Amino acid sequence: MRKQVSDLDKNLPLYGVQTMDDVLSAEVASQRFNAGALGRICCAGGFAGSSRIYGVMAYAVSQRTHEIGVRIALGAEPQNVLRHGAEFRGCGWR
């Protein structure tokens, strides 16, 4: 590129020559960083939320273990016990 410019005009000063890929890469570097950081934060939030839901469900099941045992001992069908146990009313889910 320098040779082509010097062939046209030898007195033309030439400095800071970059390819368009370099210019574009420098322009979008901060946006690329922000997008990556946001993606990692979202993944961490999803993991934290899912682990908390698991914890709440495990706690609810541990609180009802005795009740489930009594129902089965009294002759309840296992699918009915599981269906009844799947109703999680703590968050309004049924």
Side-chain angles (χ1 to χ4, degrees), residues 60-81:
V61 169
S62 71
Q63 294 295 308
R64 298 187 64 176
T65 302
H66 182 71
E67 175 189 347
I68 292 170
V70 170
R71 286 177 183 265
I72 291 176
L74 292 176
E77 296 291 325
Q79 60 267 21
N80 291 339
V81 173

Side-chain angles (χ1 to χ4, degrees), residues 6 10 14 20 24 26 42 51 60:
S6 68
K10 294 185 191 261
L14 192 60
M20 193 59 176
L24 186 61
C42 289
S51 65

Side-chain angles (χ1 to χ4, degrees), residues 19-90:
T19 63
M20 193 59 176
D21 289 336
D22 292 340
V23 172
L24 186 61
S25 178
E27 285 294 320
V28 298
S30 66
Q31 295 169 347
R32 186 178 298 129
F33 173 78
N34 289 340
L38 182 64
R40 289 194 265 311
I41 290 170
C42 289
C43 287
F47 177 74
S50 63
S51 65
R52 288 183 180 136
I53 289 173
Y54 172 78
V56 169
M57 291 297 290
Y59 178 75
V61 169
S62 71
Q63 294 295 308
R64 298 187 64 176
T65 302
H66 182 71
E67 175 189 347
I68 292 170
V70 170
R71 286 177 183 265
I72 291 176
L74 292 176
E77 296 291 325
Q79 60 267 21
N80 291 339
V81 173
L82 291 176
R83 187 178 309 126
H84 181 72
E87 294 177 358
F88 184 63
R89 298 175 187 211

